[in-house]
């Protein structure tokens, strides 16, 4: 455990990183590599700001909501025109092909996991000024309603209670082994691959990033959406990537609960959100629960089968409260296969089984440690009363950041940092983790 002095220094460093990445209206996830605003990054960053600066958390989320599409879609990226050297930029997305695209912002045409209602409620609960917190709830509520309405209306055509994602980027886990089988099934001829120029491999090590063949398919899907004017009915007719993702739906269920609580605070009727969320919880347990392995598995709507990849984010239903007590107990036992919860010095949990096919300790989402996933798991362990395991995980998160720095992700064997440096959600969730511990 860090000394009180060294922890205070790390807390100050985390705040300085967030200040360094603050643009005046939003926080860059990381300098150079991620200059624009990313959707779930901003939600997670708000958890850190809420601990000490309500106004900054409010402005972060307000800027994202200002770029919401007319149909409720909350975009993955809100582009800053000052930073042009990024792929895929606004000119590649052609989001304006959609009549629903915002008039005053340029955005991508995909989404990211719906952590926003949870972030808004957290900001309100930690507001230094109660009136400011209340005003923000009132301001954010219609945006959140519209966002959730979009997901259930456009991404759940069979009214199952499970929404689909249509691009790996929508999962937040862009390069996960979850998507390998689908990506391999996308047979592209050379003339079908869009022309593009990657900027990411000029900023960080190419060994850390997705392969060119993966990016070919990422880019092809973007063009596929633009050609259909981002019309969901047209897209799902023949889109090769339609997945009911565990992480996305678990966070949606949690967000439904939190949106219902916001409604109660504002004197609105919470029952529509509660009923919709409960439908999602039931559907996850009926369709996505793997009884044999005590984990939730993604479902490929195109091939109509489970995706047999055992990734750590598929334990995030613990955070949301999806499993019952017995399911949760078995999930925690399964987690111990990934993570020695008895070891005080251990590095946090990697995002993929270290013995899994295609594992890499340094390649994006194929095995490194991500602070956000460990933060979700820590909160999930707390939720189900596994307090000692949660405490050890909390300390391992704090120790890793204090020893290795505020990186995007970390090698699960030696703890070395990879990806973007001065990464904002690492700083923000570190703050939430250690400041919660200190009260």
């Amino acid at each position: 455990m860090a000394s009180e002095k060294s922890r205070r220094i790390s807390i100050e460093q985390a705040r300085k990183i967030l200040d360094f990445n603050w643009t005046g209206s939003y926080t860059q996830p990381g300098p150079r590599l991620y200059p624009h605003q990313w959707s779930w990054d901003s939600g997670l960053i708000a958890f850190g700001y809420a601990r000490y600066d309500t106004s900054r958390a409010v402005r972060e989320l307000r800027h994202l909501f200002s770029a919401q599409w007319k149909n409720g879609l909350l975009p993955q990226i809100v582009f800053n025109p000052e930073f042009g050297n990024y792929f895929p930029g606004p000119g590649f997305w052609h989001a304006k092909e959609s009549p629903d695209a915002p008039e005053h912002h340029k955005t991508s045409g995909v989404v990211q996991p719906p952590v926003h209602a949870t972030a808004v409620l957290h900001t309100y609960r930690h507001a230094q000024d109660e009136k400011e917190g209340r005003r923000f709830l009132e301001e954010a509520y219609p945006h959140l309603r519209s966002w959730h309405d979009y997901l259930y209306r456009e991404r759940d055509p069979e009214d199952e209670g499970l929404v689909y994602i249509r691009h790996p980027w929508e999962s937040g886990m862009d390069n996960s082994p979850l998507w390998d089988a689908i990506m391999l099934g996308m047979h592209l001829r050379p003339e079908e691959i869009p022309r593009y120029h990657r900027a990411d491999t000029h900023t960080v090590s190419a060994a850390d990033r997705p392969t060119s063949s993966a990016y070919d398919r990422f880019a092809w899907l973007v063009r596929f959406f633009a050609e259909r004017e981002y019309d969901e009915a047209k897209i799902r007719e023949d889109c090769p990537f339609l997945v009911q993702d565990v992480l996305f739906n678990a966070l949606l269920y949690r967000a439904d609960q939190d949106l219902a609580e916001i409604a109660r605070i504002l004197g609105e009727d919470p029952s529509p959100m509660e009923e919709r969320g409960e439908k999602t919880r039931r559907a996850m347990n009926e369709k996505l629960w793997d009884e044999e392995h005590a984990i939730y598995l993604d479902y490929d709507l195109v091939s109509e089968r489970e995706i047999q990849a055992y990734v750590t984010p598929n334990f995030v239903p613990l955070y949301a409260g999806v499993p019952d007590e017995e399911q949760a107990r078995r999930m925690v036992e399964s987690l111990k296969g990934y993570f020695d919860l008895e070891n005080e010095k251990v590095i946090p949990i990697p995002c993929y089984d270290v013995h899994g096919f295609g594992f890499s300790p340094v390649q994006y989402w194929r095995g490194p440690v991500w602070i956000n996933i460990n933060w979700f798991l820590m909160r999930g362990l707390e939720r189900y009363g596994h307090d000692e395991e949660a405490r050890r995980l909390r300390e391992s998160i704090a120790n890793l950041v204090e020893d290795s720095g505020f990186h995007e992700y970390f090698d699960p064997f030696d703890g070395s940092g990879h990806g973007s440096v001065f990464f904002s959600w690492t700083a923000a969730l570190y703050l939430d983790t250690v400041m919660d511990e200190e009260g």
Side-chain angles (χ1 to χ4, degrees), residues 268-282:
E268 302 286 346
D269 181 9
S271 59
M273 287 74 78
E274 291 174 328
E275 291 168 6
R276 200 154 57 179
E278 180 59 22
K279 188 172 185 176
T280 295
R281 188 194 67 80
R282 287 198 307 268

Side-chain angles (χ1 to χ4, degrees), residues 166 221 224-225 234-242 302:
R166 51 173 162 81
L221 281 169
F224 178 93
F225 304 147
K234 293 178 181 177
I235 287 170
R236 61 176 171 261
E237 284 179 1
D238 57 350
C239 183
F241 191 103
L242 296 173
V302 177

Side-chain angles (χ1 to χ4, degrees), residues 210-247:
T211 63
S212 294
S213 60
Y215 251 88
D216 290 345
R217 286 151 180 80
F218 296 159
W220 182 87
L221 281 169
V222 170
R223 188 172 67 182
F224 178 93
F225 304 147
E227 289 174 348
R228 287 153 182 79
E229 301 175 326
Y230 294 95
D231 183 308
E232 292 297 337
K234 293 178 181 177
I235 287 170
R236 61 176 171 261
E237 284 179 1
D238 57 350
C239 183
F241 191 103
L242 296 173
V243 175
Q244 292 169 326
D245 176 54
V246 169
L247 176 67

Side-chain angles (χ1 to χ4, degrees), residues 6-269:
S6 64
R7 180 145 296 177
R8 289 295 174 192
I9 291 171
S10 294
I11 289 172
E12 191 61 31
Q13 288 174 336
R15 291 187 181 188
K16 287 180 178 178
I17 286 169
L18 293 173
D19 286 343
F20 180 76
N21 289 334
W22 176 247
T23 66
S25 54
Y26 72 91
T27 309
Q28 297 175 349
R32 297 185 63 201
L33 184 57
Y34 303 109
H36 307 288
Q37 183 175 30
W38 267 258
S39 174
W40 81 319
D41 291 73
S42 283
L44 296 175
I45 289 165
F47 276 90
Y49 281 141
R51 289 292 184 170
Y52 68 98
D53 191 339
T54 303
S55 295
R56 183 76 67 85
V58 167
R59 292 164 69 189
E60 180 79 35
L61 293 166
R62 177 181 288 147
H63 186 265
L64 180 65
F65 293 145
S66 73
Q68 188 168 25
W69 288 30
K70 298 179 184 70
N71 62 358
L73 181 151
L74 205 58
Q76 164 222 21
I77 301 174
V78 182
F79 290 105
N80 186 333
E82 295 182 11
F83 302 102
N85 185 28
Y86 179 81
F87 171 79
F92 194 87
W93 283 101
H94 296 289
K96 294 297 183 182
E97 296 294 328
S98 170
D100 293 313
E103 296 176 4
H104 304 296
H105 290 283
K106 293 181 178 180
T107 76
S108 67
V110 296
V111 302
Q112 281 189 318
V115 297
H116 311 89
T118 306
V120 167
L121 182 60
H122 182 85
T123 299
Y124 167 76
R125 285 174 169 165
H126 290 86
Q128 289 83 42
D129 182 329
E130 185 176 347
K131 290 183 178 178
E132 181 183 21
R134 172 80 182 207
R135 284 196 301 270
F136 182 54
L137 276 193
E138 294 171 348
E139 175 187 339
Y141 181 68
H143 290 285
L144 296 168
R145 283 290 304 268
S146 180
W147 168 219
H148 287 221
D149 287 348
Y150 161 80
L151 288 172
Y152 283 106
R153 182 185 66 250
E154 302 290 349
R155 301 299 188 93
D156 182 18
E158 301 301 322
D159 195 27
E160 292 183 81
L162 297 172
V163 306
Y164 67 73
I165 58 173
R166 51 173 162 81
H167 196 293
W169 290 340
E170 293 198 317
S171 70
M173 306 175 290
D174 307 11
N175 197 42
S176 173
L178 279 167
W179 322 130
D180 286 358
I182 300 174
M183 302 294 271
L184 285 168
M186 294 169 58
H187 301 292
L188 302 182
R189 296 187 300 274
E191 64 270 19
E192 293 181 294
I193 300 171
R195 289 184 174 271
Y196 63 88
H197 179 71
R198 292 176 65 174
D200 58 329
T201 51
H202 300 293
T203 305
V204 298
S205 170
D208 289 3
R209 304 298 294 170
T211 63
S212 294
S213 60
Y215 251 88
D216 290 345
R217 286 151 180 80
F218 296 159
W220 182 87
L221 281 169
V222 170
R223 188 172 67 182
F224 178 93
F225 304 147
E227 289 174 348
R228 287 153 182 79
E229 301 175 326
Y230 294 95
D231 183 308
E232 292 297 337
K234 293 178 181 177
I235 287 170
R236 61 176 171 261
E237 284 179 1
D238 57 350
C239 183
F241 191 103
L242 296 173
V243 175
Q244 292 169 326
D245 176 54
V246 169
L247 176 67
F248 197 101
N249 280 279
L251 294 177
L252 177 58
Y253 170 60
R254 172 62 187 267
D256 283 331
Q257 297 174 84
D258 291 331
L259 185 54
E261 179 61 19
I262 291 171
R264 274 189 289 272
I265 294 168
L266 296 178
E268 302 286 346
D269 181 9

Side-chain angles (χ1 to χ4, degrees), residues 363-405:
Q363 195 175 20
Y364 201 59
W365 285 106
R366 300 191 71 83
V369 167
W370 289 81
I371 294 301
N372 64 330
I373 299 302
N374 280 270
W375 182 85
F376 288 134
L377 295 176
M378 177 191 74
R379 296 299 188 196
L381 290 168
E382 291 173 342
R383 182 178 194 132
Y384 285 90
H386 296 274
D387 296 334
E388 184 60 19
E389 292 88 347
R391 181 193 66 78
R392 291 194 175 100
L393 187 52
R394 179 190 299 277
E395 281 303 311
S396 72
I397 291 169
N399 291 339
L400 177 62
V401 173
E402 289 160 1
D403 292 344
S404 298

